[in-house]
Amino acid sequence: MFKVVQNHTELEQAFDIRRKVFVNEQGVPLENELDNYEEVATHVIGYDTNNTPIAAARFRPFNDGVKVERVAVMKEHRKTGIGKDLMQFIEQTAQNLGYDKLILNAQIQAQRFYDNLGYSPIGEIFMEENIKHIKMTKSL
C-alpha cells in the first residue's frame, strides 16, 4: 500500500528507508541525502502487508513538471514489483495534482527499470554522489 506522507511518523519512516538505502548501502553522506527540498517535496511511503515501511520517494515541482527523487526500496523487497508500483503511484498522484511531465536523475544501474516504465534518457551520463546518473523524462 502506498500513500502520500501525512504526518511526522510517516515522514520519519520514509527518511529511515532513505538512510538505509542511500547512506548505509550506497555511501551517500547523510547531510547530502536529507536536503533543503524536504519541506517543499511531496513524500510517498509504501508498506507491506504487515504495515512495515518498505519503500519511499519524493517529488517536487520542477520547471514544467515534477522531479522525482530519492526513490528507495528496501533491499529484501527489490525485484518484487514494489518499485514499479511505487513509480505508478507517484505518476498517478502527480497527474492528479495537474502535472503531466516527470523528470528524474536515474542511477545508471536503474536505467533499464525506468526505461521499462516509459522514461526516456536525455543528455549525457553525469556523476552525483560518486554514482553515475542519467537524466530521464516521461510525459503523462
Side-chain angles (χ1 to χ4, degrees), residues 93-138:
T93 303
Q95 193 168 35
N96 290 346
L97 293 171
Y99 296 102
D100 60 4
K101 181 178 179 184
L102 291 97
I103 302 131
L104 55 82
N105 293 338
Q107 292 185 7
I108 288 300
Q109 82 263 8
Q111 182 176 355
R112 184 175 308 163
F113 168 77
Y114 292 110
D115 283 336
N116 290 335
L117 293 174
Y119 288 79
S120 301
I122 295 177
E124 302 295 320
I125 293 171
F126 62 94
M127 296 297 286
E128 191 170 80
E129 298 299 337
N130 294 316
I131 300 168
K132 290 181 180 179
H133 285 74
I134 184 93
K135 181 178 180 179
M136 302 185 82
T137 65
K138 180 178 181 177

Side-chain angles (χ1 to χ4, degrees), residues 22-137:
F22 297 118
V23 178
N24 298 349
E25 285 183 40
Q26 297 184 348
V28 174
L30 181 60
E31 61 271 15
N32 296 354
E33 174 52 30
L34 300 176
D35 63 21
N36 59 346
Y37 295 115
E38 304 302 347
E39 292 187 19
V40 298
T42 299
H43 296 268
V44 173
I45 184 124
Y47 299 93
D48 67 10
T49 55
N50 297 319
N51 209 33
T52 302
I54 59 169
R58 73 179 191 192
F59 64 89
R60 60 186 172 90
F62 185 82
N63 294 339
D64 58 343
V66 295
K67 188 169 186 185
V68 180
E69 301 171 311
R70 310 309 203 264
V71 177
V73 175
M74 296 297 292
K75 185 180 267 187
E76 60 272 19
H77 293 278
R78 293 179 197 150
K79 304 212 185 288
T80 65
I82 294 296
K84 178 181 178 182
D85 293 344
L86 172 61
M87 290 303 298
Q88 289 173 335
F89 180 85
I90 290 168
E91 291 170 8
Q92 186 62 55
T93 303
Q95 193 168 35
N96 290 346
L97 293 171
Y99 296 102
D100 60 4
K101 181 178 179 184
L102 291 97
I103 302 131
L104 55 82
N105 293 338
Q107 292 185 7
I108 288 300
Q109 82 263 8
Q111 182 176 355
R112 184 175 308 163
F113 168 77
Y114 292 110
D115 283 336
N116 290 335
L117 293 174
Y119 288 79
S120 301
I122 295 177
E124 302 295 320
I125 293 171
F126 62 94
M127 296 297 286
E128 191 170 80
E129 298 299 337
N130 294 316
I131 300 168
K132 290 181 180 179
H133 285 74
I134 184 93
K135 181 178 180 179
M136 302 185 82
T137 65

Side-chain angles (χ1 to χ4, degrees), residues 1 3-21 33-34 43-48 50-57 70 72-74:
M1 174 192 77
K3 63 182 289 191
V4 172
V5 167
Q6 297 185 10
N7 59 51
H8 182 72
T9 299
E10 293 170 352
L11 186 60
E12 282 304 315
Q13 291 171 336
F15 288 167
D16 187 54
I17 291 167
R18 289 172 42 193
R19 278 190 288 270
K20 288 175 181 171
V21 171
E33 174 52 30
L34 300 176
H43 296 268
V44 173
I45 184 124
Y47 299 93
D48 67 10
N50 297 319
N51 209 33
T52 302
I54 59 169
R70 310 309 203 264
V73 175
M74 296 297 292

